[in-house]
Amino acid sequence: MKKTSTRLADGRELIYYDLRDDTVRDAVDRRPLERTVTSSEVRHDVLLGDEVAIASHRQGRTYHPPADQCPLCPSEGDRLSEIPDSSYDVVVFENRFPSLAGDSGRCEVVCFTSDHNASFADLSGEQARLVLEAWTDRTSELSSLPSVQQVFCFENRGAEIGVTLGHPHGQIYAYPFTTPRTALMLRSAAAHKEATGGQNLFDAVLERELADERVVLESEHWLAFVPYAAHWPYEVHLYPKRRVPDLLALDEEARSEFPQVYLELLRRFDRIFGDSESPTPYIAAWHQAPFGQLEDFEGVVREDFALHLELFTIRRTSGKLKFLAGSESGMNVFINDVPPERAAERLREVASR
């Protein structure tokens, strides 16, 4: 992998990740952009104990442009985009309309491929490995920033999810706090550790799932399963079998095997509802241990957390979506119409032949 860092016309950082070491990246951003001004602010909710990002400047962000005006495609002739070069393998750049900025964190865009009509599932194993390396590199760089406590790599896919750009891409959020979802996991891990005399909660979950009927895919170094209390109609959690707290700690064996496993999962998601459906909308979310202090979670250290990816779709059956209505949105109590065991069975049925 070759990494080349440059600056866009408004001062934002852009990084090329290339498969070939001899690739030259010297294209200049020719757009007449003024320096980006953001108004991101993080406010604390004293009742719920969590944080809310206020980012009014995002109201003017790019919204469903036609394909020939996509800002994530390479620049070509007089059509200038966020990527100055005429081609790329993987690109990461600072979001022009970030939810978090300055002391409130940082937001980046990850373009998986220059092919506008592709998806992550269409990538080769070599390309998928390059994305993994980009995620890992950005986790390392962002976690070193003084204000950052947690790094979150994720992909939103599909208009049903709320995606406003059709080009295959993901995002990275660097939060100045530990996110509420991670805090819940850490509290559960602390309680389990105390109740069992030091045993690890994540290890116990993997042991239980290995012995049950919800396993979707297992390889030498990875395990994919539908969780016992899945919140979403089709939800898969992907864990490395050797517990590590973050992407930086993955060993070479797990890194090498990841593309094959993850691409197979994504392709199965696209086959769940049959060929007549549009591509399955999904969210793919990496959960990593916070990089800040864990004094709020007594008895737990970073190494107690288990890196994992959660992949889920809001589609519950052909032509029908799972909406977060009164119970989910009002009380955060999920109601799942698809039994996890049936979801796992279906995801095994649609395996590649």
Side-chain angles (χ1 to χ4, degrees), residues 50-256:
D50 58 11
E51 280 71 31
V52 177
I54 309 296
S56 59
H57 62 277
R58 284 175 52 80
Q59 285 282 39
R61 67 188 183 274
T62 308
Y63 187 80
H64 292 300
D68 62 356
Q69 297 177 32
C70 175
L72 306 185
C73 288
S75 293
E76 184 176 356
D78 293 331
R79 189 186 65 77
L80 306 178
S81 73
E82 289 280 67
I83 295 91
D85 216 324
S86 59
S87 67
Y88 64 85
D89 291 335
V90 173
V91 165
V92 176
F93 60 88
E94 290 184 75
N95 197 323
R96 190 177 179 185
F97 304 97
S99 302
L100 306 166
D103 293 338
S104 297
R106 175 158 158 154
C107 293
E108 298 181 339
V109 176
V110 185
C111 297
F112 304 138
T113 171
S114 60
D115 185 351
H116 180 85
N117 297 313
S119 69
F120 201 118
D122 295 323
L123 300 182
S124 68
E126 186 180 36
Q127 290 172 307
R129 171 65 186 261
L130 185 61
V131 176
L132 175 62
E133 295 307 317
W135 283 330
T136 304
D137 180 71
R138 297 316 300 153
T139 296
S140 175
E141 293 288 332
L142 293 171
S143 65
S144 68
L145 298 178
S147 63
V148 172
Q149 289 192 28
Q150 188 171 358
V151 178
F152 175 45
C153 306
F154 64 100
E155 180 191 1
N156 297 328
R157 181 209 186 180
E160 299 94 331
I161 295 292
V163 174
T164 57
L165 297 175
H167 195 102
H169 72 288
Q171 299 182 66
I172 303 175
Y173 277 20
Y175 298 103
F177 50 81
T178 297
T179 61
R181 189 174 178 86
T182 302
L184 285 173
M185 285 189 248
L186 288 169
R187 292 189 186 102
S188 296
H192 182 85
K193 191 173 185 179
E194 180 178 8
T196 59
Q199 294 181 21
N200 184 273
L201 175 61
F202 295 96
D203 291 350
V205 168
L206 257 63
E207 183 178 355
R208 181 180 72 177
E209 295 297 347
L210 272 168
D212 220 313
E213 58 184 315
R214 290 176 299 275
V215 171
V216 173
L217 182 62
E218 182 182 0
S219 67
E220 184 177 357
H221 301 285
W222 294 89
L223 180 68
F225 58 89
V226 177
Y228 171 76
H231 288 56
W232 299 94
Y234 290 90
E235 174 182 344
V236 174
H237 292 191
L238 176 62
Y239 279 73
K241 288 184 175 179
R242 183 179 71 86
R243 173 166 43 89
V244 294
D246 51 46
L247 289 166
L248 304 174
L250 278 178
D251 57 30
E252 178 57 30
E253 289 79 8
R255 290 182 184 279
S256 296

Side-chain angles (χ1 to χ4, degrees), residues 19-68:
L19 293 168
R20 291 175 57 95
D21 291 336
D22 59 353
T23 303
V24 177
R25 299 295 185 187
D26 55 9
V28 176
D29 185 2
R30 296 181 282 128
R31 297 173 297 170
L33 297 180
E34 296 182 359
R35 186 165 291 274
T36 299
V37 178
T38 62
S39 56
S40 296
E41 175 189 359
V42 174
R43 297 184 181 180
H44 181 71
D45 185 323
V46 296
L47 292 180
L48 297 180
D50 58 11
E51 280 71 31
V52 177
I54 309 296
S56 59
H57 62 277
R58 284 175 52 80
Q59 285 282 39
R61 67 188 183 274
T62 308
Y63 187 80
H64 292 300
D68 62 356

